[in-house]
Amino acid sequence: MRVRIRGSRLATVARLASVAAAVASATAVAAGGVAVVWAATAAAGTAEVAATAKVAGTVAALPTPSPSSSPSPSKPGGPPSTPAQRAQNNFLRTSELDKAAWSRVGEPDRLIIVRAMSVDVVQNGTLVTHTHRAGGTVTVSWLAGALSGNELISMPSRDTAVLSAALLLTSGTNMQIGPGVRRLLLIGGTSPASASWIRCEHATLTMSGVTLSSLRAGNDAHWRPVPASWAGRPYVYAAAGGRLDVFGSTISDLGRPRPAGFPGSATLARLLSVSGVAGVTWGKGSTGSAVDARFERNLVGLLLDESVGVRLSHVTVEHAVLDGLLLRGDRATMLRDVVSRSNGGSGVIISGPGTRHVAGLRAAGNAAAGVKAVTQTGLVLTGVKTAADLGGGVRLVGCVRCTVNGLEAVGDHRTALTISGASHDVSVIGAHLDGGQTGIAVTAGTRAVTLRGAVVTGFSRSGAEVAATDVRLLSSRISGSPVGVRVYGPAARIQLSGVTVRGGRDGVTVTRTAGAVSLSDVAVIGVSHDGVTSASAALRMSGGQISGGHIGIALLAPAAIAGVDIDSAVIGIHVGSGVKAKVSGVDVVAERDGIKVEVRGRVDLSGSLIRAPIALAGAGYISRDSLTVLSLPPVPWLGFTAIAAVLLAIILQTVHQLRHRSIPVPRVARHVRNTA
Amino acid sequence: MTLWQTTFWDLRYYFAYVPLGFLGLIRWTCWLIRRIPAALYRPATADFRLPLSVVVPVYQEDPVIFAQAIESWLANEVDQIVLVIDSTDSVCQRVARRYPVTVIVTEVPGKRDALRRGWEACYTDLVALVDSDTIWAQDVAAEVCKPFADPRVGGVGTRQNVYNPRGFLQRVNDMYLDYRYFDENSAQTVVGRAVSCLSGRTAVYRRKLLLEVSHDFMTETFLGVPCMSGDDKRLTTLILERGHLTYLQRTARVWSTFPGTVPVFFKQRLRWARNTWRSDLRALSRRWVWRHPFLAYTMLDKAVSSFTLLISPTFMLIALVERNWFFVWCLAGWWWVSRSMKILPHLVRRPSSFFLVPGFVLTSFMMALVKICALLTIRKQRWLTRQVQVKDGVVVRTQQTRSEAPV
């Protein structure tokens, strides 16, 4: 039976008729367990009319199965002979495709599959609705209208939609959310199958000016989002070949936790693609962009998992339960003004293979590190800014041939910059680090690290801590930390050159376990305790200046000191018991002892100028050549002169007072009071 | 080393933190060169008296202060009081008529002409040129005559203080006055008896010398511009030029009003600074000043200090920018201590001024800027606090209406 329908006036009649036909068809094929209603759609009075409206379509009822003339539904492979048979075969084929898709995407309770020419609804694995459409962009309101009988998408108000099913956009489809619909809520539940989500596979999903969030199933009027601990929390996922663009939108309260029983991080990628831990994911091979977008309170804010060419511009990721932004194996990602803050994990994690240049990142107030790069090769981080991240500013773990340019870390807790995990060939240039516990930490197991032009200020423990090998700290300034540079542990072949340490308690300390430490042109100014303290047997110090402090250079192990200027220290150089040191070309002005050598210690002094009240002190042995000059320190004449001038002024005034003591108080009218 | 030795050696190096640089050493030396003779100053004590007239140019004076001043002069039993009152000032004319004084009402604006008219109207040997708001102690007339026992002395100055100072600026003015009279003027009196300026608030001259210098006094120009203010400096210089001496009689005490508002304070200081630059630059270019080497030295020192005074705050600014707080505190402390030492005579008189010293130091830095500004505008001839100016070589009024508030 074919019925031609024209105009919207008969749409209702057509619908009723189609329902009657569907009931009849359903009765006829009920034994097969499949109920399908073919319906012609007619939409009137909406924008979607242009896409699908006023379809003069056909309403076809399923033919009564004929055992002789048409292929049985149980045999879909047979050649169809009648239109009804062909329709049935198409239906079966669609059903199988939908079922396969349903199975692939985690077997949700309710699944909407948007195809190029149709929209299917699959419930519990059964195709229940197959709606033909004319193609074009799918919108939420059109979808709500097309599926109005299923209550899968409701629109409680004109600009709000509630999605109660998983939504799969398949190849060739294009869906637009907003700006007509300004708020889209995805229903979530306690189980993954009950949740709604949106995935696009080789499809395009565009969100513009929309707030996308989750909504608890069976919710009351308060419209609360789905808690982060619920397994059925919604998410958005751009799969292979998909394109996801987010403009001026806010996406919040999405992303489900890893289901119980799933393995750990070794299969995280697959895990993420299946379970959608992140609130929004650009999956493998997907692309797209996010501009002026906010991602809030997602489980993981945003994930780029082997995506290609995703552009993130003016994006804020905040208050994620776990990490904010995960970059995992992505390629050609463009970042500009991306802020990740106040997340429960790290602000940004960069992992996965590939050489990357990352710029324009800002992280603040995250519970873990601001930016963490894991096992990266050739990574270039430029212009990263971190602030007040509880786990430190930037962490490079197991990174090789990586470069950090222009890092700014302010007020990060713990360590502003950490290089660890057997990293090597790492360069850090022009870092500005301010406030925290430790400025720079290069841990044991790491090697070949160069830090140049760093400005490190105001750390509560130390400016830099080095336990690695082949580390160079060049042309840097460290101030306001109790210890400027600490070299410890298995550190070896450490070079400090052109480094200035200002203030604090100790300038440079080298522990006994460290080996081959070289200090050249290092300036330590205004420390309160020791300028340089070394217990390492292989300290070489040449050039530089030490000003202030109690001991200029304290040697607890053999060392070679050359060409260093020491002034304003109480003791210029202190050599410990049993220690041998070679000192040449130094200029020492000390307040008490120039060079003090403890018992069994020995200093070979050459070509030096030692000025102190006691130039050479201690029970140890000091040998000096003829070029070494010993003398008293210069007298601070100006200081003495100032004191003398003040005393003289007082004396002169006293003399003057005495000479004029007999002069009486003037007699003047009483109204004049300034007569003293 | 013993504990004492250790302490001594450690303590010694705290002296190094006194931020007296080489420039500070030079400035202190220059100051001590003045301070040492000033400490040896003694007033003249000869019992010598000459007839004395008081000449007072009057222009929009506070009538209450004016009356009190007249009474104080009368209390000194001077021979004659001549009040030269501007014709627009009817209030002061009425006040003057209450007292046995000579009143000359003048149509010619400007202080110089009033002074000239006044001393020409006198008949005594000595003439005291007095400002209309200056109150005398009861023995000023007797005290100022004593130095004139030396016939070489042509002019005598008095010690001045602020009349009942209130507010920060008047207290600062009082500090400046004590600094001047216990330091510079005293030293100039002791070494050479050549005080650079007998302040116009009360300056006593031999009348015949005033008559001699009348013409030069009235026709003073600087770089072609007729001079209007700086009459006291000019008279002192004219007296010294002619080989006479000037003396500070510190036992002759007078009190005068000073501005308490910032604009008037700075205007006054600017005017004085211009007067000083003009007078000192002219003097240093003449041979007569080198007959008084100490006077020449003080003039040069004053000129140089206008610039060197700004070096210290420059270092302070640099230290503040670099956040070198230790140096900042050391330098600020040194400023407080060193300036207090330099104004000890005032602090002995008013110990509470010790807490105003920081403000005094900052004011002195601003005064250095004012002096440099004055040097750059040296040719400007405006009273700034009077409504008169020089126009086409003639002193004219800039405002006809009398203001009720005195300047």
Side-chain angles (χ1 to χ4, degrees):
Chain A
M1 177 179 71
R2 287 178 179 269
V3 175
R4 187 174 296 275
I5 300 171
R6 286 212 172 87
S8 60
R9 207 182 270 187
L10 298 178
T12 305
V13 173
R15 198 172 288 125
L16 288 173
S18 67
V19 169
V23 171
S25 303
T27 304
V29 298
V34 175
V36 173
V37 175
W38 282 41
T41 60
T46 66
E48 290 79 359
V49 170
T52 61
K54 295 193 178 172
V55 174
T58 57
V59 174
L62 283 174
T64 303
S66 165
S68 61
S69 63
S70 58
S72 142
S74 62
K75 293 182 182 175
S81 58
T82 67
Q85 289 172 334
R86 283 197 294 277
Q88 189 176 5
N89 283 342
N90 286 340
F91 155 72
L92 291 174
R93 191 159 49 245
T94 300
S95 176
E96 284 177 9
L97 288 173
D98 287 347
K99 189 164 184 179
W102 172 81
S103 178
R104 188 179 72 251
V105 298
E107 302 182 0
D109 293 343
R110 295 174 300 279
L111 174 64
I112 301 171
I113 302 175
V114 178
R115 300 188 186 280
M117 303 304 288
S118 64
V119 176
D120 300 337
V121 175
V122 178
Q123 290 191 354
N124 296 315
T126 303
L127 177 63
V128 297
T129 303
H130 178 75
T131 304
H132 186 72
R133 71 183 191 97
T137 301
V138 174
T139 63
V140 173
S141 50
W142 177 87
L143 206 55
L147 303 177
S148 57
N150 308 77
E151 296 184 349
L152 298 178
I153 300 181
S154 62
M155 292 195 67
S157 67
R158 194 171 167 180
D159 59 357
T160 300
V162 179
L163 176 64
S164 306
L167 177 62
L168 175 65
L169 306 177
T170 61
S171 178
T173 57
N174 185 359
M175 182 165 186
Q176 170 91 28
I177 302 176
V181 169
R182 293 223 293 259
R183 193 171 172 201
L184 176 59
L185 301 173
L186 307 183
I187 292 288
T190 53
S191 68
S194 65
S196 56
W197 41 254
I198 302 176
R199 289 171 63 102
C200 55
E201 298 177 347
H202 295 279
T204 300
L205 173 62
T206 304
M207 297 186 205
S208 177
V210 68
T211 297
L212 180 68
S213 185
S214 62
L215 180 65
R216 289 195 198 191
N219 196 29
D220 54 23
H222 293 298
W223 288 28
R224 286 174 291 178
V226 179
S229 58
W230 285 19
R233 209 168 185 232
Y235 61 89
V236 176
Y237 187 87
R243 183 181 179 96
L244 170 62
D245 292 296
V246 181
F247 302 109
S249 299
T250 299
I251 300 177
S252 64
D253 302 296
L254 301 183
R256 68 173 66 155
R258 186 177 300 125
F262 266 89
S265 60
T267 57
L268 185 61
R270 182 175 62 80
L271 171 70
L272 293 178
S273 68
V274 171
S275 66
V277 172
V280 177
T281 303
W282 275 268
K284 184 173 182 176
S286 68
T287 188
S289 63
V291 179
D292 290 324
R294 303 180 70 87
F295 300 86
E296 301 173 349
R297 298 186 302 277
N298 299 321
L299 192 71
V300 170
L302 193 54
L303 168 64
L304 271 63
D305 185 9
E306 297 186 47
S307 61
V308 179
V310 173
R311 183 169 69 98
L312 301 179
S313 174
H314 297 93
V315 168
T316 300
V317 183
E318 58 185 350
H319 300 299
V321 178
L322 301 176
D323 305 308
L325 171 63
L326 298 186
L327 303 176
R328 193 200 169 278
D330 53 293
R331 288 187 291 127
T333 302
M334 287 170 284
L335 297 166
R336 182 181 167 199
D337 195 16
V338 174
V339 178
S340 182
R341 60 185 177 210
S342 303
N343 299 295
S346 295
V348 180
I349 295 183
I350 304 170
S351 62
T355 300
R356 262 187 286 225
H357 287 235
V358 177
L361 277 180
R362 280 189 291 154
N366 297 289
V371 176
K372 182 176 178 181
V374 182
T375 59
Q376 293 295 288
T377 300
L379 170 69
V380 177
L381 278 177
T382 303
V384 171
K385 293 183 184 178
T386 69
D389 295 302
L390 300 182
V394 172
R395 293 176 63 91
L396 304 181
V397 182
C399 292
V400 176
R401 288 190 299 281
C402 294
T403 303
V404 179
N405 288 320
L407 165 66
E408 275 187 40
V410 177
D412 291 307
H413 297 230
R414 298 175 64 184
T415 304
L417 170 64
T418 305
I419 304 171
S420 63
S423 300
H424 63 88
D425 295 298
V426 174
S427 295
V428 178
I429 301 169
H432 281 244
L433 313 175
D434 189 345
Q437 199 177 71
T438 302
I440 301 171
V442 188
T443 65
T446 300
R447 61 183 173 86
V449 174
T450 299
L451 303 127
R452 185 189 301 272
V455 177
V456 181
T457 56
F459 287 87
S460 62
R461 198 167 92 172
S462 59
E465 293 187 354
V466 178
T469 57
D470 300 301
V471 175
R472 298 190 304 161
L473 180 59
L474 311 173
S475 304
S476 298
R477 288 182 286 148
I478 300 172
S479 61
S481 304
V483 177
V485 179
R486 180 166 167 257
V487 181
Y488 71 105
R493 295 181 297 283
I494 309 300
Q495 180 187 353
L496 272 63
S497 178
V499 173
T500 299
V501 178
R502 199 179 287 269
R505 187 175 174 275
D506 297 305
V508 178
T509 64
V510 183
T511 64
R512 184 179 55 81
T513 52
V517 177
S518 164
L519 276 59
S520 64
D521 295 319
V522 170
V524 178
I525 299 169
V527 296
S528 64
H529 201 242
D530 298 339
V532 173
T533 302
S534 172
S536 167
L539 175 75
R540 296 285 179 272
M541 187 169 178
S542 63
Q545 175 196 5
I546 297 174
S547 181
H550 186 73
I551 299 176
I553 299 177
L555 299 177
L556 303 172
I561 312 294
V564 179
D565 290 344
I566 303 173
D567 68 89
S568 306
V570 175
I571 301 172
I573 299 176
H574 182 268
V575 179
S577 176
V579 173
K580 274 179 73 173
K582 198 171 175 187
V583 178
S584 62
V586 299
D587 185 340
V588 176
V589 179
E591 295 180 4
R592 198 175 73 199
D593 302 326
I595 297 181
K596 184 174 182 179
V597 183
E598 299 296 342
V599 65
R600 296 196 312 278
R602 179 190 172 108
V603 167
D604 295 322
L605 188 60
S606 62
S608 300
L609 177 59
I610 311 295
R611 292 173 285 174
I614 303 175
L616 304 178
Y621 177 77
I622 303 175
S623 74
R624 57 188 172 103
D625 64 356
S626 59
L627 296 175
T628 296
V629 175
L630 309 178
S631 74
L632 288 172
V635 178
W637 290 111
L638 286 175
F640 277 127
T641 304
I643 301 295
V646 169
L647 290 174
L648 187 55
I650 295 172
I651 292 170
L652 289 172
Q653 178 61 25
T654 305
V655 166
H656 181 78
Q657 292 280 127
L658 290 172
R659 287 164 62 89
H660 289 80
R661 62 184 181 276
S662 60
I663 294 178
V665 175
R667 289 174 294 130
V668 68
R670 282 188 187 169
H671 59 82
V672 180
R673 292 189 294 274
N674 187 16
T675 59
Chain B
M1 294 182 93
T2 65
L3 177 63
W4 181 85
Q5 287 173 316
T6 307
T7 303
F8 174 75
W9 285 122
D10 288 341
L11 188 63
R12 189 181 68 155
Y13 282 90
Y14 281 105
F15 294 160
Y17 293 129
V18 179
L20 180 70
F22 280 113
L23 181 63
L25 182 64
I26 293 171
R27 296 305 310 154
W28 265 85
T29 304
C30 291
W31 178 76
L32 283 170
I33 291 173
R34 294 197 308 270
R35 188 75 184 104
I36 292 171
L40 302 176
Y41 166 88
R42 277 188 188 279
T45 55
D47 187 13
F48 185 77
R49 188 75 191 245
L50 282 174
L52 176 70
S53 296
V54 173
V55 171
V56 185
V58 182
Y59 177 72
Q60 296 185 0
E61 188 53 75
D62 181 325
V64 173
I65 295 288
F66 184 42
Q68 289 172 340
I70 294 174
E71 290 164 7
S72 71
W73 305 329
L74 289 170
N76 273 265
E77 297 179 346
V78 295
D79 295 86
Q80 184 184 17
I81 298 176
V82 178
L83 307 177
V84 185
I85 306 177
D86 191 87
S87 61
T88 62
D89 193 352
S90 55
V91 173
C92 286
Q93 290 174 32
R94 282 197 296 276
V95 170
R97 284 193 208 104
R98 300 203 302 255
Y99 298 96
V101 296
T102 304
V103 175
I104 300 175
V105 177
T106 176
E107 297 284 340
V108 179
K111 188 177 179 184
R112 292 197 184 209
D113 185 77
L115 287 171
R116 180 190 60 80
R117 286 173 186 264
W119 71 56
E120 285 179 354
C122 294
Y123 57 81
T124 55
D125 296 309
L126 299 179
V127 176
L129 306 179
V130 183
D131 277 357
S132 54
D133 62 348
T134 302
I135 297 168
W136 283 12
Q138 292 177 6
D139 56 354
V140 167
E143 288 295 325
V144 295
C145 291
K146 292 177 181 178
F148 286 103
D150 184 346
R152 296 174 299 167
V153 172
V156 171
T158 57
R159 175 185 161 189
Q160 300 166 21
N161 283 108
V162 176
Y163 174 72
N164 298 345
R166 282 184 301 184
F168 174 72
L169 287 177
Q170 290 187 351
R171 291 283 299 270
V172 164
N173 262 319
D174 205 39
M175 292 159 82
Y176 271 119
L177 287 171
D178 279 343
Y179 182 70
R180 175 182 175 179
Y181 291 109
F182 280 88
D183 189 305
E184 180 185 344
N185 287 11
S186 298
Q188 289 169 339
T189 300
V190 171
V191 184
R193 293 191 178 191
V195 177
S196 58
C197 176
L198 301 179
S199 171
R201 286 187 161 78
T202 299
V204 185
Y205 297 95
R206 297 183 190 271
R207 182 171 174 269
K208 65 175 183 180
L209 295 179
L210 290 173
L211 294 172
E212 282 178 22
V213 304
S214 269
H215 178 75
D216 290 339
F217 176 66
M218 292 302 297
T219 58
E220 181 194 6
T221 62
F222 186 84
L223 294 179
V225 180
C227 295
M228 187 170 58
S229 63
D231 41 276
D232 49 1
K233 266 278 203 187
R234 181 57 173 163
L235 280 174
T236 311
T237 307
L238 288 171
I239 298 297
L240 289 170
E241 272 185 7
R242 282 156 173 73
H244 303 283
L245 302 177
T246 52
Y247 199 96
L248 167 68
Q249 182 69 355
R250 221 161 65 191
T251 45
R253 294 194 62 182
V254 304
W255 291 263
S256 189
T257 61
F258 282 80
T261 60
V262 172
V264 179
F265 176 85
F266 278 98
K267 281 181 182 174
Q268 187 181 65
R269 288 283 164 174
L270 182 62
R271 172 166 59 87
W272 290 354
R274 285 188 186 135
N275 295 340
T276 302
W277 279 117
R278 285 193 281 261
S279 176
D280 289 358
L281 287 176
R282 192 205 323 265
L284 288 169
S285 67
R286 305 278 173 87
R287 293 173 66 177
W288 68 265
V289 74
W290 302 104
R291 293 196 296 268
H292 303 281
F294 190 80
L295 173 64
Y297 159 77
T298 57
M299 287 181 178
L300 281 170
D301 179 55
K302 191 180 291 186
V304 170
S305 70
S306 305
F307 301 96
T308 60
L309 195 58
L310 293 173
I311 294 176
S312 187
T314 303
F315 278 112
M316 177 64 94
L317 270 175
I318 293 172
L320 285 170
V321 168
E322 291 186 348
R323 291 190 278 185
N324 188 348
W325 304 121
F326 183 73
F327 180 82
V328 167
W329 285 112
C330 280
L331 185 57
W334 174 243
W335 282 351
W336 200 332
V337 168
S338 64
R339 192 53 61 106
S340 298
M341 293 301 106
K342 290 182 179 177
I343 60 168
L344 262 181
H346 176 80
L347 292 182
V348 167
R349 204 167 66 81
R350 294 201 71 166
S352 63
S353 294
F354 177 75
F355 301 102
L356 298 180
V357 169
F360 179 73
V361 170
L362 295 176
T363 305
S364 65
F365 294 145
M366 286 189 274
M367 289 302 105
L369 290 172
V370 167
K371 284 185 188 175
I372 293 173
C373 177
L375 178 61
L376 297 172
T377 56
I378 197 172
R379 291 186 74 220
K380 271 196 176 173
Q381 289 291 341
R382 285 208 65 176
W383 198 274
L384 297 178
T385 53
R386 279 190 181 205
Q387 285 76 39
V388 292
Q389 69 177 29
V390 175
K391 201 172 179 183
D392 297 328
V394 177
V395 178
V396 298
R397 301 182 200 282
T398 57
Q399 184 175 322
Q400 294 299 322
T401 306
R402 181 191 192 276
S403 165
E404 290 300 323
V407 174

